[in-house]
Amino acid sequence: MKVGMMVFLANESAGNTARPYETIRAVVRQAEADGFDSVWLPDHFLYRKPDTPTRGVWECWTMLAALAEATQRIEIGTLVLCNSFRNPALLAKMATAADEVSDGRLILGVGAGWNEPEYRAFGFPFDHRVDRFEEALQVLTPLLRDGHVDFAGRYYQARDCDDVPRGPRPAGPPLLVGGEGPRMLGLVARHADLWNTGYMGTPDTMLAPIARIEAACRQVGRDPATLGVTALIGLWFPDLNAEKPAFFPDPLTGTATEIAAALRGYEDLGVRHVMVQCQPYTAETRRRLADALRIYRDGSAGVVGGAVEPVSGEVGVADDGDVGERESAGQGQQQ
């Protein structure tokens, strides 16, 4: 099973100061050195709460292209792109180019979007998001896989459109779709190479979602084994931040060995790829996750299904205070 890490692009919560690119690049390069299979970027323009200053976020695709050039081995994915932010034909072209720059390391994650304030601020339509997404997939999927589409819909048109030149993979980068509602699961079953759900905790939190996506596949006549299941795991370190993150309904906690055992549990369920979001987001939590990855790779961790005990250790590392949410129309991580 592949193991990836979420990378934050939003302003630092302390002081609402921009997170420098050199810092983001250093985190990603360290993840590559630590043996992670992938890093994942959120796609947002801003975060807003009532009576609080706007919190900025670096634009996802620009950062992704830079990080593709700054790394050698690690896969780079989006978790997930908000469909309405980019025309799907243009997105296919962008993905093919990014796959070329990265030498075939892109995983293209897409969803219907959820964070209404940024839609309003930037003038993107927030209505009929799943309808728009359904049409977008009819443009995006054939362009990625075949390099051609001829489509005219209510929201999107791509008439006699060619995505050339082609990138390093004949069928393009893998298409991951994040979503959980019945319509979204149906779209996943019909179009996606990979499916993502989150925020998950211990392996047993994946049982019901797996049952739902397998049923959706069978409903459209697809063998569930042909769809790669992925999971966004919320990893909380209570000794570093005593307040449970509101956006992690049932977070994973534990020592490096216990986290490694949970990873083994996900593998035993047939999960193909996990993405881990640490809370708090600090160098110490990333170090602990890297330790867990090494133990998991060594194969010395036992499987756990329920909650594990919080870690003990030094208290006082500043909490980055980042928050996240998701909804049935798609995945969304506030970073």
Side-chain angles (χ1 to χ4, degrees):
M1 183 182 71
K2 294 182 178 181
V3 179
M5 183 178 70
M6 286 295 301
V7 175
F8 286 13
L9 303 181
N11 287 0
E12 301 278 0
S13 59
N16 199 18
T17 57
R19 199 181 302 268
Y21 170 67
E22 63 182 12
T23 300
I24 297 169
R25 181 181 59 197
V27 168
V28 170
R29 284 178 167 171
Q30 186 62 53
E32 185 169 53
D34 287 338
F36 285 90
D37 296 290
S38 58
V39 289
W40 296 83
L41 307 182
D43 184 35
H44 293 291
F45 296 150
L46 57 79
Y47 300 128
R48 279 182 177 160
K49 292 182 178 180
D51 303 320
T52 60
T54 296
R55 189 174 181 198
V57 191
W58 291 120
E59 194 277 323
C60 172
W61 204 264
T62 305
M63 287 289 175
L64 183 146
L67 293 169
E69 179 63 22
T71 53
Q72 299 296 321
R73 174 197 58 80
I74 201 164
E75 291 181 300
I76 303 176
T78 53
L79 202 67
V80 287
L81 295 177
C82 299
N83 171 64
S84 300
F85 292 174
R86 300 165 189 88
N87 176 280
L90 175 61
L91 178 58
K93 188 76 172 174
M94 294 164 62
T96 300
D99 209 35
E100 173 69 18
V101 170
S102 67
D103 194 23
R105 292 184 287 128
L106 175 68
I107 301 175
L108 182 62
V110 296
W114 60 271
N115 186 21
E116 185 173 2
E118 62 190 344
Y119 283 77
R120 302 302 183 201
F122 284 85
F124 292 110
F126 194 68
D127 63 320
H128 305 291
R129 283 171 295 139
V130 179
D131 290 339
R132 294 176 189 274
F133 188 55
E134 183 173 16
E135 281 197 8
L137 287 173
Q138 295 175 69
V139 175
L140 181 62
T141 306
L143 280 176
L144 290 176
R145 293 177 179 165
D146 305 321
H148 179 81
V149 71
D150 190 4
F151 179 84
R154 178 179 178 184
Y155 303 105
Y156 300 109
Q157 293 77 41
R159 305 312 308 261
D160 194 20
C161 181
D162 290 319
D163 179 15
V164 289
R166 303 295 288 156
R169 292 182 277 189
L175 180 66
L176 176 151
V177 173
E180 298 179 20
R183 283 189 64 193
M184 290 294 291
L185 292 181
L187 293 175
V188 169
R190 288 193 290 272
H191 296 283
D193 301 304
L194 302 165
W195 169 65
N196 181 259
T197 187
Y199 288 97
M200 312 315 297
T202 53
D204 57 341
T205 62
M206 274 298 292
L207 294 173
I210 288 174
R212 289 194 293 270
I213 191 60
E214 288 183 346
C217 286
R218 288 190 289 268
Q219 188 171 4
V220 300
R222 179 174 182 174
D223 180 357
T226 65
L227 176 68
V229 172
T230 76
L232 172 60
I233 298 173
L235 179 60
W236 174 40
F237 295 92
D239 63 312
L240 304 181
N241 178 12
E243 184 177 356
K244 177 178 172 288
F247 51 94
F248 288 176
D250 186 18
L252 178 66
T253 63
T255 64
T257 298
E258 290 165 331
I259 295 166
L263 294 176
R264 183 68 62 194
Y266 276 91
E267 180 182 358
D268 290 345
L269 289 176
V271 174
R272 187 177 299 180
H273 204 142
V274 296
M275 308 79 169
V276 183
Q277 180 170 328
C278 296
Q279 186 66 18
Y281 183 73
T282 65
E284 171 62 15
T285 61
R286 294 190 295 271
R287 183 194 64 77
R288 294 185 189 185
L289 178 58
D291 288 345
L293 177 64
R294 283 189 286 272
I295 295 169
Y296 166 68
R297 292 272 166 76
D298 289 343
S300 57
V303 177
V304 295
V308 293
E309 292 299 316
V311 297
S312 59
E314 182 179 359
V315 179
V317 177
D319 175 15
D320 191 54
D322 297 282
V323 296
E325 300 177 22
R326 62 184 172 88
E327 67 170 0
S328 61
Q331 296 288 116
Q333 293 75 49
Q334 287 195 21
Q335 310 286 340

